[in-house]
Amino acid sequence: MEQAFWVQRPGTGQLREARLPVPGPDDVLVRTLCSGVSRGTETLVFRGGVPASQHEVMRAPFQEGDFPGPVKYGYLNVGVVEQGPAHLQGRTVFCLYPHQTAYVVPATAVTPVPAAVPPGRAILAGTVETAVNAVWDARPRLGDRIAVIGAGMVGASVAKLLDGFPATRVQLVDVDPAKADVAAALGVDFSTPDEALGDCDLVVHASASEGGLAKALELLAPEGEVVEMSWYGDRRVSVPLGENFHSRRLVIRSSQVGTVARPDRDYAERLAVALDLLADPAFDALVSGECRFEDLPSVLPRLAADELSASCLRVMYQPQ
């Protein structure tokens, strides 16, 4: 019998038996190799912090149950196709599926992982896809002065992608000086908020904090723009729109992965771009913790309580 991880109620997780349907001719049966816990969103779900107004918006593609629980939630899953169309048989694939030992989904719901990307890194596909969308939203220009505030999975990924634009000045900013090691592994300059360079044309905010948003506005040059990626859940935040906000003609723009930021691309094409980018081994720096699937009910509370510092927690599954 297969097993899946469920949030029983806020703050409590449990492994449950999962009965798989018989795969149809257009389905695949996938055996999970590893999955990833997205620290920001999944710990928010684990704590029961999804506001009622966002219950439908926040649903994962293969979620079961409802917020605040019981709910089976997650979207970073890599496995091997054991049964399905011939062109997918035996392929390693990525799927926006929760933490479960095996599952059946339509073949169109999985994306083959390129040979150059190991399964343990491919779990970052959903995160890098979010970063790709943010870069499309941000529309960086040649020579821009850029800051990315928040060195979590998403912010660090955005900084890595933006640093590839010619003649740009990119800084990854975080209150935790230890994040300098992650920035160095990604090849990106790092700064604490107090030392961050100002006069920025573009700031991407991904710290999910009031202080971070205030700092983002502070760092902007006149006519500059903040791309707000943070998801605050049920928390209200104050935005400093006084002082120089109007006189300097500053802009705050939202970015959210639920909508593809380019009309000439679809969801599948965006995910394929993300997986191709993951051929770069520098992204391994974002996976800073690992546990076994059977230990997830005891590990996730520690992650939600900040007792573990993993940006992305990789969950490993026993081979069958």
Side-chain angles (χ1 to χ4, degrees), residues 104 124 160 165 197 254 296-297:
V104 174
L124 295 169
K160 171 67 175 173
F165 281 79
L197 299 175
S254 68
L296 199 51

Side-chain angles (χ1 to χ4, degrees), residues 134-173:
V135 173
W136 287 347
D137 268 329
R139 300 186 299 273
R141 297 165 298 183
L142 187 71
D144 269 358
R145 297 154 298 185
I146 303 171
V148 180
I149 298 179
M153 290 172 63
V154 173
S157 296
V158 172
K160 171 67 175 173
L161 300 188
L162 287 172
D163 197 55
F165 281 79
T168 54
R169 184 195 79 190
V170 179
Q171 270 198 325
L172 181 58
V173 181

Side-chain angles (χ1 to χ4, degrees), residues 11 30-31 46 53 87 108 130 133 138 229 239 256 262 320:
V30 179
R31 174 70 53 188
F46 187 75
S53 64
H87 71 284
T108 53
T130 302
N133 205 61
M229 297 189 68
V239 185
Q256 205 273 339
R262 285 181 57 169
Q320 299 294 310

Side-chain angles (χ1 to χ4, degrees), residues 80-256:
V80 174
V81 175
E82 291 189 337
Q83 184 178 334
H87 71 284
L88 290 173
Q89 286 270 9
R91 293 291 303 273
T92 300
V93 294
F94 175 84
C95 185
L96 297 168
Y97 204 87
H99 310 284
Q100 186 165 308
T101 54
Y103 51 93
V104 174
V105 294
T108 53
V110 302
T111 301
V113 174
V117 181
R121 192 187 307 150
I123 60 171
L124 295 169
T127 301
V128 175
E129 181 184 12
T130 302
V132 168
N133 205 61
V135 173
W136 287 347
D137 268 329
R139 300 186 299 273
R141 297 165 298 183
L142 187 71
D144 269 358
R145 297 154 298 185
I146 303 171
V148 180
I149 298 179
M153 290 172 63
V154 173
S157 296
V158 172
K160 171 67 175 173
L161 300 188
L162 287 172
D163 197 55
F165 281 79
T168 54
R169 184 195 79 190
V170 179
Q171 270 198 325
L172 181 58
V173 181
D174 200 276
V175 296
D176 182 2
K179 292 295 180 70
D181 292 339
V182 174
L186 294 172
V188 178
D189 288 339
F190 176 83
S191 175
T192 60
D194 290 342
E195 299 174 344
L197 299 175
D199 207 26
C200 292
D201 304 291
L202 170 67
V203 178
V204 179
H205 179 233
S207 80
S209 69
E210 281 190 12
L213 181 53
K215 190 65 180 182
L217 290 169
E218 178 187 324
L219 292 178
L220 284 179
E223 306 277 349
E225 178 175 286
V226 170
V227 175
E228 176 60 275
M229 297 189 68
S230 299
W231 169 244
Y232 296 95
D234 58 358
R235 289 183 292 133
R236 290 183 176 272
V237 297
S238 296
V239 185
L241 300 183
E243 300 182 354
N244 297 321
F245 180 78
H246 288 87
S247 63
R248 297 175 73 190
R249 296 174 56 81
L250 305 182
V251 175
I252 301 176
R253 176 191 179 121
S254 68
S255 178
Q256 205 273 339

